[in-house]
Amino acid sequence: MKSSHAPAAVFAVFDEPNLIAHAGLVPVIRLAERCGLPKLVAEKVKLTGAKNGAGTAADAKVMSVVGGMVAGADSIDDLDVLRHGGMAKLFGGMRAPSTLGTFLRAFTWGHVRQLQSAARAFTCNLAAHAGLIPRGDEVVFVDIDSKVKQVYGPAKQGASFGYTKVRGLHFQIVTVKTATCAPVIVATRLRKGAAGSGKGAASLIREALSTVRAMGVTAKIVVRADSAYSSHQVVAACKKAGAHFSLAVAITKTIRAAIETIHPAAWTPIQYTDAIWDDEEQGWNSDAEIAEVPFTAFTSKKKAFHTTARLIVRRVKRLNPKSVPEGQSELFAVWRHHAVFTSSPFELVQAEAQHREHAQVEQVFADLEDSALAHLPSGKFTANAAWLTLAATAYNLTRAAGRLASVFHARARTGTVRRHLIHIPARIANKARTLTLHLPELWRWEDDFTDLFTATGQRMQT
């Protein structure tokens, strides 16, 4: 590829009022309206008492924020991406970034909870409309995890140093997925930077499981999490909701004792499809052995919380025998052990492999940080909590648009969906009280865009 003209023969001028940079927003915003996002926000989010009119037209402001996020905005100022060219001919009610910033800063924690309620109802509608969660799958996985989002400056409310040793705010997300679909975010929560990973996890799981059931899911549910979430409250929340649990556990003295009871002949060799990087050993592992033993957990708690289930253990050969900690028994001199406490109804090999797939939640973190969650843009904690909720809403909306477009885009990263289906330039033509979007000829993903456009009730010109 090379330039076809000399620099002196190429000019640029910003003077076309009928061009837009994000034609894909037309079907996406229509999809959000069909699934009731503006109506739900208007019904549930009541910013009464907000000064300077910040609480008025909450539905229009939320749609402006979500629309900007779908287009790739990752800060309040970036939301101005909506106000260009002919966008006002296609959309009404767009607000300026300064207005949206004032709106977000007017949120209290109660208002954040109202917004989360609207977002959960919208996600249920979106799942039903776009088929985000296939009804025919045997099992549905609900994954919870958290991450510290680094911030730069002590002025942000709630920012502090946690286990990562960096100043940040600590957010949790819960996703739902099956073996045949991409993850959908069903719950979020922002906490102070110093909050532990598992803080408030039980209540968040209860909310998430309630949302999953409200989606009409009748399949088996398995809640997966790492060892930070292995607690009697989390297990109790899963059992009360009729869900199975699969929780990694730390290798404590009690767990070691349970592992030592496993008969040597009980270990089953497995081979990972892809080698797994071992941070501690600084090398790749592809072979391991697994076994299971009954185990009763939380015996230090009240008897009502004592839980007997399966302890599935994976052991991997140590690459460097010199790395064995001093004082470990011979059992741990050759093998490194990873344990999972689970009530999974599936056989050993399948249950162990299913738990390892919990790591896919990291892809959702990567997607969020590649878009709206690149920053937590406000100095006010509740504004950032609202921003997190809307970022998850924009993620789900983009995911639904991808599913309506094609099989490929149903599982693609949201950044890929934006590049292929959202960031399409178009020229608006007005004729006989109709608007026609003239899109680039030979667009590689024309058929996929056509499927999305028509799925939201609009027609292509023939």
Side-chain angles (χ1 to χ4, degrees), residues 215-235:
M215 289 178 176
V217 171
T218 57
K220 296 183 180 72
I221 297 177
V222 177
V223 176
R224 304 183 294 194
D226 60 30
S227 59
Y229 299 90
S230 182
S231 70
H232 65 284
Q233 296 102 325
V234 168
V235 169

Side-chain angles (χ1 to χ4, degrees), residues 180-191:
T180 60
C181 75
V184 176
I185 300 173
V186 290
T188 63
R189 183 172 295 168
L190 186 67
R191 292 97 46 78

Side-chain angles (χ1 to χ4, degrees), residues 266-270 289-293 310-314 340 342 344-356:
W267 293 98
T268 301
I270 62 170
E289 295 180 345
I290 57 175
E292 67 174 289
V293 64
R310 306 161 68 186
L311 186 69
I312 295 178
V313 184
R314 180 177 80 253
V340 177
T342 180
S344 171
F346 299 98
E347 53 88 20
L348 173 62
V349 174
Q350 187 177 8
E352 192 275 336
Q354 286 174 344
H355 179 83
R356 277 190 278 115

Side-chain angles (χ1 to χ4, degrees), residues 89-378:
K89 297 180 180 180
L90 295 169
F91 304 102
M94 291 184 296
R95 299 300 198 266
S98 58
T99 301
L100 299 176
T102 301
F103 169 66
L104 292 170
R105 289 188 292 272
F107 273 72
T108 65
W109 185 246
H111 298 135
V112 172
R113 297 293 287 161
Q114 292 173 359
L115 183 62
Q116 290 173 343
S117 176
R120 288 195 297 270
F122 172 68
T123 300
C124 291
N125 295 344
L126 201 61
H129 188 86
L132 287 177
I133 308 298
R135 297 292 181 87
D137 285 359
E138 179 186 19
V139 58
V140 168
F141 300 103
V142 174
D143 296 312
I144 182 171
D145 209 341
S146 67
K147 184 165 186 173
V148 175
K149 181 63 183 175
Q150 187 172 8
V151 299
Y152 303 90
K156 285 188 184 286
Q157 290 181 350
S160 54
F161 293 90
Y163 69 94
T164 60
K165 309 302 182 185
V166 299
R167 179 184 283 113
L169 292 168
H170 199 170
F171 67 93
Q172 287 174 331
I173 66 168
V174 183
T175 66
V176 57
K177 73 176 298 295
T178 72
T180 60
C181 75
V184 176
I185 300 173
V186 290
T188 63
R189 183 172 295 168
L190 186 67
R191 292 97 46 78
K192 293 182 178 180
S197 294
K199 181 178 175 60
S203 63
L204 193 63
I205 286 173
R206 282 194 292 269
E207 289 181 11
L209 292 175
S210 176
T211 302
V212 172
R213 290 303 187 193
M215 289 178 176
V217 171
T218 57
K220 296 183 180 72
I221 297 177
V222 177
V223 176
R224 304 183 294 194
D226 60 30
S227 59
Y229 299 90
S230 182
S231 70
H232 65 284
Q233 296 102 325
V234 168
V235 169
C238 295
K239 292 166 68 175
K240 187 174 181 179
H244 301 283
F245 56 86
S246 184
L247 309 174
V249 293
I251 305 298
T252 63
K253 183 177 180 180
T254 305
I255 297 296
R256 290 193 191 105
I259 294 173
E260 289 175 345
T261 66
I262 298 174
H263 193 277
W267 293 98
T268 301
I270 62 170
Q271 185 171 17
Y272 305 137
T273 304
D274 300 308
I276 294 177
W277 177 260
D278 190 318
D279 283 328
E280 184 174 329
E281 298 291 334
Q282 289 296 296
W284 294 94
N285 289 315
S286 59
D287 296 312
E289 295 180 345
I290 57 175
E292 67 174 289
V293 64
F295 183 73
T296 301
F298 317 122
T299 53
S300 63
K301 306 297 180 182
K302 294 180 180 179
K303 191 171 183 179
F305 292 120
H306 295 187
T307 304
T308 300
R310 306 161 68 186
L311 186 69
I312 295 178
V313 184
R314 180 177 80 253
R315 67 181 188 180
V316 181
K317 282 188 177 181
R318 288 188 180 274
L319 302 178
N320 180 11
K322 294 181 180 179
S323 67
V324 177
E326 185 179 354
Q328 291 277 23
S329 66
E330 184 62 25
L331 173 70
F332 292 91
V334 178
W335 302 93
R336 292 188 61 237
H337 292 74
H338 308 269
V340 177
F341 185 57
T342 180
S343 61
S344 171
F346 299 98
E347 53 88 20
L348 173 62
V349 174
Q350 187 177 8
E352 192 275 336
Q354 286 174 344
H355 179 83
R356 277 190 278 115
E357 290 176 354
H358 165 69
Q360 292 176 355
V361 74
E362 295 293 339
Q363 296 174 357
V364 180
F365 286 135
D367 253 3
L368 289 171
E369 294 192 318
D370 189 37
S371 54
L373 217 61
H375 305 94
L376 288 168
S378 179

